[in-house]
């Protein structure tokens, strides 16, 4: 209505001003004293001011009212804040005489009120906000946000008592961003270990019977890095929605590290004893241990076949109980073989004291080559 009144007033005034100019011209023409109308000049000045204010007033009211109709998914708070800032600057530049007018005060309040909600709206519009965060804001404000709806508009958010709960809503929004950060780091760890596979090396003419040493050491080192990341996520106070999953991955990687360490121990012993017990003389000297080693060898082949079928590091080690059960048993059996072998070498040293100065591997080579026991005597 103020718009219609202002325009109607302007039309009436223009009519009067035209008459004034006509009469003044007439008075001048007839050499009469020109009648002054100070009130008319005052009104002219005020109407000019009013036009300035009215233009801005209309602009602000239409723009801000338009904000309420924007769909929440399309809201660009930054753009809104820039526009409001622009309006504030224009208000500052208006002549002083206008600043007591009710229309000016209404206008300023309209801008300031919307502006006050903007920082909060900007936080709420963050892509990190999930359903669970909106649920917390609903519980807090006792107001239903139907953000899943395709027709959900900014007005539906502004109806809620946001500023009453400003600090609590800010906390929820901050938590959303922190949680997204945690989720991102956890996903990175999960993705990395979904693509890490074992590298296999060949052994003699028996095919790929080994884990490659350097590559496996590199895997363990990467795993330590991942466990450090997971450790920091575990101690982060915003980790609640992902805590169970973080703990699961700590257990996965810790378990995998332990299994790989045991696996490498078994591998080294197996390589060492394979040279002794597969063929050669010593196997004949220690038939019981040779038999034991044959069983170990079968289990080792079984483990390596399993690893080829399940090359993913984590899946292979902790996907089921296979390695966790078999490796300790193999290690125990290999250690029995090694003990018997050490006992056998000690006996040889007692028979041939010069062997005391020869290391076990060198002595094994000497004894292994001696297919004819006479050469040792």
């Amino acid at each position: 209505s103020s718009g219609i009144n202002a325009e109607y007033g302007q039309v009436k005034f223009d009519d009067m001003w035209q008459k004034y100019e006509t009469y003044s011209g007439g008075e001048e023409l007839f050499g009469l004293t020109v009648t002054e109308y100070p009130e008319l000049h005052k009104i002219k000045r005020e109407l000019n001011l009013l036009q300035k204010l009215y233009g801005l007033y209309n602009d602000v009211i239409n723009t801000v009212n338009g904000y309420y109709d924007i769909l929440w998914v399309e809201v660009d708070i930054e753009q809104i804040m820039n526009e409001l800032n622009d309006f504030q600057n224009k208000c500052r530049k208006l002549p002083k005489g206008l600043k007591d007018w009710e229309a000016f005060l209404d206008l300023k309040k309209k801008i300031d009120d919307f502006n006050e909600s903007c920082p909060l709206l900007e936080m709420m519009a963050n892509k990190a906000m999930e359903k669970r965060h909106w649920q917390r804001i609903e519980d807090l404000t006792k107001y239903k946000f139907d953000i899943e709806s395709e027709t959900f508009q900014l007005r539906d958010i502004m109806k809620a008592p946001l500023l009453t709960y400003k600090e609590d809503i800010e906390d929820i929004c901050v938590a959303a961003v922190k949680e997204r950060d945690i989720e991102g780091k956890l996903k990175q760890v999960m993705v990395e270990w979904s693509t890490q596979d074992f590298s296999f090396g060949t052994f003699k003419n028996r095919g790929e019977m080994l884990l490659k040493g350097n590559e496996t050491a590199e895997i363990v080192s990467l795993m330590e890095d991942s466990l450090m990341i997971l450790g920091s996520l575990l101690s982060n106070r915003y980790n609640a929605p992902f805590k169970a999953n973080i703990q699961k991955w700590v257990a996965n990687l810790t378990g995998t590290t332990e299994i790989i360490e045991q696996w490498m121990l078994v591998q080294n012993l197996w390589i060492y004893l394979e040279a002794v017990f597969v063929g050669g003389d010593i196997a004949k000297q220690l038939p019981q241990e040779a038999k034991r080693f044959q069983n170990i060898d079968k289990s080792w082949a079984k483990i390596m076949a399993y690893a080829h079928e399940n090359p993913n590091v984590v899946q292979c080690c902790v996907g089921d109980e296979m390695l966790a059960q078999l490796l300790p048993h193999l290690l125990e059996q290999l250690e029995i073989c090694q003990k018997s072998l050490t006992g056998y070498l000690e006996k040889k040293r007692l028979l041939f004291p010069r062997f005391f100065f020869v290391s076990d591997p060198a002595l094994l080579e000497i004894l292994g080559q001696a297919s004819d026991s006479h050469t040792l005597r």
Side-chain angles (χ1 to χ4, degrees):
S1 66
S2 61
I4 294 165
N5 290 346
E7 280 168 22
Y8 176 66
Q10 186 70 43
V11 168
K12 282 206 70 167
F13 177 79
D14 288 346
D15 191 33
M16 284 170 71
W17 189 256
Q18 209 170 359
K19 283 176 182 166
Y20 159 69
E21 285 183 329
T22 307
Y23 297 151
S24 302
E27 285 172 336
E28 273 178 25
L29 189 64
F30 293 109
L32 301 171
T33 311
V34 175
T35 315
E36 290 298 330
Y37 294 94
E39 195 60 29
L40 205 56
H41 284 277
K42 183 175 177 242
I43 292 172
K44 182 175 172 60
R45 274 197 311 278
E46 289 199 341
L47 271 172
N48 280 341
L49 287 179
L50 190 60
Q51 282 298 4
K52 280 186 180 173
L53 176 59
Y54 172 62
L56 183 59
Y57 186 88
N58 262 0
D59 210 1
V60 168
I61 300 298
N62 291 337
T63 305
V64 173
N65 286 348
Y67 292 156
Y68 290 92
D69 298 331
I70 302 175
L71 288 175
W72 176 244
V73 287
E74 290 168 7
V75 165
D76 180 349
I77 302 293
E78 198 179 338
Q79 189 192 339
I80 291 177
M81 285 165 88
N82 288 339
E83 285 172 7
L84 291 175
N85 195 25
D86 194 34
F87 285 143
Q88 278 176 326
N89 288 335
K90 284 180 179 166
C91 280
R92 271 188 220 107
K93 287 176 187 161
L94 284 174
K96 278 201 172 64
L98 286 177
K99 298 196 173 170
D100 299 329
W101 288 21
E102 202 174 328
F104 176 80
L105 298 172
D106 279 358
L107 166 74
K108 194 163 170 2
K109 186 171 172 6
K110 187 93 173 167
I111 299 170
D112 291 347
D113 285 358
F114 204 97
N115 224 350
E116 199 183 355
S117 302
C118 278
L120 200 51
L121 291 173
E122 191 170 29
M123 292 177 87
M124 291 167 76
N126 193 303
K127 295 285 179 272
M129 292 289 286
E130 301 278 353
K131 212 165 176 178
R132 62 180 181 274
H133 304 114
W134 285 103
Q135 186 58 55
R136 283 171 64 190
I137 296 176
E138 282 184 10
D139 296 344
L140 184 68
T141 56
K142 307 284 183 283
Y143 181 85
K144 179 92 179 81
F145 296 97
D146 191 11
I147 54 158
E148 303 284 307
S149 158
E150 286 177 15
T151 56
F152 188 68
Q153 294 173 319
L154 187 49
R155 73 172 65 253
D156 301 312
I157 293 236
M158 298 294 275
K159 282 177 195 163
L162 300 183
L163 296 173
T164 313
Y165 299 99
K166 184 169 181 282
E167 285 180 10
D168 290 330
I169 294 175
E170 279 172 359
D171 288 346
I172 293 168
C173 297
V174 166
V177 174
K178 303 269 191 194
E179 286 169 20
R180 186 173 65 166
D181 186 43
I182 291 171
E183 187 177 23
K185 285 179 177 160
L186 175 60
K187 272 189 180 153
Q188 247 174 331
V189 169
M190 288 162 68
V191 166
E192 170 152 29
W193 292 105
S194 68
T195 57
Q196 282 287 349
D197 287 357
F198 280 119
S199 300
F200 303 105
T202 51
F203 180 74
K204 296 185 178 173
N205 59 352
R206 295 183 60 182
E208 291 191 332
M209 291 281 280
L210 305 175
L211 289 183
K212 280 189 179 170
N214 289 345
E215 283 83 344
T216 307
E218 180 64 25
I219 285 170
V220 171
S221 167
L222 280 175
M223 215 166 279
E224 283 163 5
D225 295 344
S226 291
L227 280 165
M228 275 180 72
I229 293 168
L230 292 172
S232 76
L233 298 185
L234 257 191
S235 61
N236 189 314
R237 71 189 182 94
Y238 292 102
N239 69 15
F242 318 104
K243 194 161 190 175
N245 214 0
I246 297 169
Q247 285 169 329
K248 177 187 147 193
W249 274 92
V250 168
N252 278 350
L253 298 189
T254 310
T256 300
T257 307
E258 286 166 3
I259 280 180
I260 290 176
E261 281 171 4
Q262 201 163 38
W263 198 339
M264 293 309 283
L265 273 178
V266 169
Q267 174 165 297
N268 292 337
L269 259 181
W270 174 78
I271 292 171
Y272 176 61
L273 294 174
E274 197 270 355
V276 176
F277 287 112
V278 175
D281 267 17
I282 298 173
K284 291 176 195 145
Q285 306 285 330
L286 299 169
Q288 199 182 343
E289 299 316 324
K291 184 95 185 81
R292 186 190 302 277
F293 187 82
Q294 251 177 350
N295 289 331
I296 293 171
D297 197 70
K298 278 184 195 137
S299 294
W300 178 256
K302 187 173 154 190
I303 283 179
M304 294 315 289
Y306 175 80
H308 272 82
E309 284 161 29
N310 305 280
N312 177 267
V313 174
V314 175
Q315 202 49 42
C316 182
C317 291
V318 293
D320 64 26
E321 291 295 300
M322 153 98 172
L323 291 178
Q325 286 172 352
L326 202 46
L327 285 170
H329 168 71
L330 279 192
L331 191 58
E332 179 194 52
Q333 291 295 302
L334 283 162
E335 281 169 350
I336 294 172
C337 287
Q338 192 182 24
K339 214 169 173 186
S340 300
L341 180 62
T342 307
Y344 169 74
L345 295 179
E346 284 308 304
K347 278 185 194 159
K348 288 289 177 194
R349 285 193 174 102
L350 290 171
L351 282 173
F352 305 99
R354 65 178 182 278
F355 287 156
F356 277 111
F357 304 103
V358 178
S359 68
D360 279 7
L363 183 53
L364 282 170
E365 210 173 321
I366 296 166
L367 296 174
Q369 280 170 355
S371 48
D372 177 6
S373 52
H374 293 292
T375 46
L376 283 176
R377 293 189 194 138

